[in-house]
Amino acid sequence: MVKVLVTPRSFGKHSDEAKELLEAKGIEVVINPYGRILTEEEMKKEIVDVDGIIVGVDPLNADILSHAKNLKAISKYGVGTDNIDLNYCKEHSIEVSITRNANSDSVADFAFTLMLSVARRVVEVDRACRQLDWGKKTSMEMFRKTLGVVGTGAIGKGVIKRAKGFEMDILAYDLYKDEAFAKEYGVKYVELDELIQKSDFISLHLPATEETHDMIGPREFGMMKDTAVLVNTARGELVDEDALFDALKNKKIWGAGLDVFKKEPPENMGLLELDNIIIGAHSGASTFEAVNNMSRMAAENILKNLLS
């Protein structure tokens, strides 16, 4: 019997459709037995005899993959493949797929939610009210401000579409420009430095690569407006967290909203003590709709690559 390991904890959480798709094809589905992200040693143990893996952010480096004797396909539950050794997979004819656009709307919603919440100090106001402090806290508007979108893939474009309802001026940075989209939505592509200097709100939507590692660091924070809001719903590796802490603590920028960190929880625990940051638990894609979409697409991808 063909065996598939499923590691994401939210897989099929709100619907049996995805699991039933696999079982209808005679596939044995092995659900993550640990109830959390697997360690390297646990992954080595679990993948020994599987034919396919539906994987979240669990590690799949070359050392781990070398323990898989029957592995033919990996279906990423999401789009970021930085936890998978793609070179090893290519060399060993292991098909790798992603659930492209399955959670784009959910993450775009969350990015916009973070921008609004940081600007209007929503969490601070809520926390004060729970302590019976009804004092007013001055905040900032988003309407007709300048938004800088770093990365114009599906999620970045989703943020741009939402921003048009706020009549925002939109700057964008991407090595691969979509000029037709930019023309339709009034987006101006600029260099990253210009975007950082001119934007009131900056939203990051790039993968983690050698080139993007710590791309927002001391230099970039030094160029931002003191009223700037930084939001990251992409990858924690994009932001130098110590530089972020310094910028927030010393009021070099207005605030930040982060749904991702290099490690969860972050190594710089001082971030958790600041009032001008809103922290998410990598939950931008955690909606009923996105979970169902990703589960179904991940199952369809693994079926296509295992049975075709």
Side-chain angles (χ1 to χ4, degrees):
M1 178 180 285
V2 176
K3 182 184 291 188
V4 170
L5 171 66
V6 178
T7 68
R9 289 158 287 175
S10 62
F11 178 88
K13 185 176 181 179
H14 308 298
S15 170
D16 294 329
E17 179 188 11
K19 187 177 180 182
E20 289 174 352
L21 278 174
L22 297 173
E23 293 177 338
K25 297 296 184 179
I27 290 176
E28 178 185 352
V29 180
V30 180
I31 300 296
N32 180 343
Y34 303 95
R36 53 170 169 73
I37 298 170
L38 278 67
T39 66
E40 292 195 9
E41 291 306 313
E42 289 165 349
M43 283 295 290
K44 289 176 183 179
K45 173 185 174 183
E46 298 298 332
I47 70 173
V48 169
D49 62 346
V50 301
D51 301 277
I53 304 173
I54 294 176
V55 69
V57 296
D58 316 82
L60 282 178
N61 56 42
D63 182 37
I64 294 170
L65 289 168
S66 68
H67 287 72
K69 308 305 179 185
N70 304 323
L71 188 61
K72 303 177 186 66
I74 297 170
S75 177
K76 172 69 182 194
Y77 187 78
V79 294
T81 56
D82 41 295
N83 60 315
I84 304 169
D85 190 318
L86 298 180
N87 289 329
Y88 182 96
C89 292
K90 184 177 181 180
E91 292 170 2
H92 293 80
S93 301
I94 300 170
E95 295 289 340
V96 179
S97 58
I98 61 175
T99 54
R100 188 181 301 279
N101 299 340
N103 61 10
S104 299
D105 282 326
S106 296
V107 179
D109 276 358
F110 199 67
F112 217 80
T113 298
L114 287 173
M115 283 186 271
L116 273 171
S117 299
V118 173
R120 298 308 306 267
R121 302 173 69 181
V122 171
V123 173
E124 287 183 77
V125 172
D126 175 82
R127 186 182 297 123
C129 288
R130 292 172 188 271
Q131 297 172 354
L132 305 184
D133 175 4
W134 251 251
K136 300 295 185 286
K137 294 184 183 295
T138 304
S139 58
M140 294 193 309
E141 297 179 3
M142 280 189 69
F143 190 65
R144 291 181 176 173
K145 295 292 179 66
T146 298
L147 169 67
V149 177
V150 182
T152 52
I155 297 172
K157 287 175 179 173
V159 170
I160 289 168
K161 290 176 182 178
R162 286 155 177 78
K164 295 307 293 182
F166 280 67
E167 297 183 18
M168 301 183 83
D169 292 325
I170 302 171
L171 304 177
Y173 169 79
D174 202 312
L175 294 178
Y176 306 97
K177 300 175 177 61
D178 189 333
E179 299 291 359
F181 177 88
K183 182 178 180 180
E184 180 179 359
Y185 286 92
V187 177
K188 181 182 179 182
Y189 278 107
V190 296
E191 293 301 314
L192 184 59
D193 282 1
E194 182 178 350
L195 181 150
I196 289 172
Q197 291 168 351
K198 293 183 176 180
S199 296
D200 300 296
F201 296 83
I202 301 170
S203 193
L204 305 181
H205 304 284
L206 291 177
T209 65
E210 290 184 8
E211 291 73 26
T212 62
H213 185 84
D214 284 348
M215 66 182 297
I216 305 297
R219 174 179 174 275
E220 288 70 29
F221 284 115
M223 292 191 293
M224 291 181 192
K225 297 180 180 181
D226 58 9
T227 54
V229 172
L230 175 70
V231 164
N232 185 11
T233 55
R235 285 290 182 265
E237 286 77 8
L238 304 183
V239 178
D240 180 331
E241 293 170 6
D242 290 334
L244 172 66
F245 176 77
D246 176 71
L248 292 171
K249 184 177 181 180
N250 294 298
K251 311 297 183 184
K252 296 178 182 178
I253 63 174
W254 175 266
L258 269 68
D259 192 38
V260 289
F261 294 88
K262 293 173 181 174
K263 293 184 179 179
E264 300 171 2
E267 289 187 333
N268 188 336
M269 297 296 284
L271 288 166
L272 308 184
E273 301 172 3
L274 300 175
D275 288 331
N276 54 347
I277 182 173
I278 295 178
I279 292 172
H282 207 150
S283 53
S286 297
T287 63
F288 295 114
E289 296 85 354
V291 168
N292 288 341
N293 286 341
M294 285 195 295
S295 298
R296 185 189 67 257
M297 289 178 66
E300 290 172 344
N301 287 342
I302 207 79
L303 286 173
K304 176 182 177 182
N305 288 325
L306 281 181
L307 303 182
S308 61

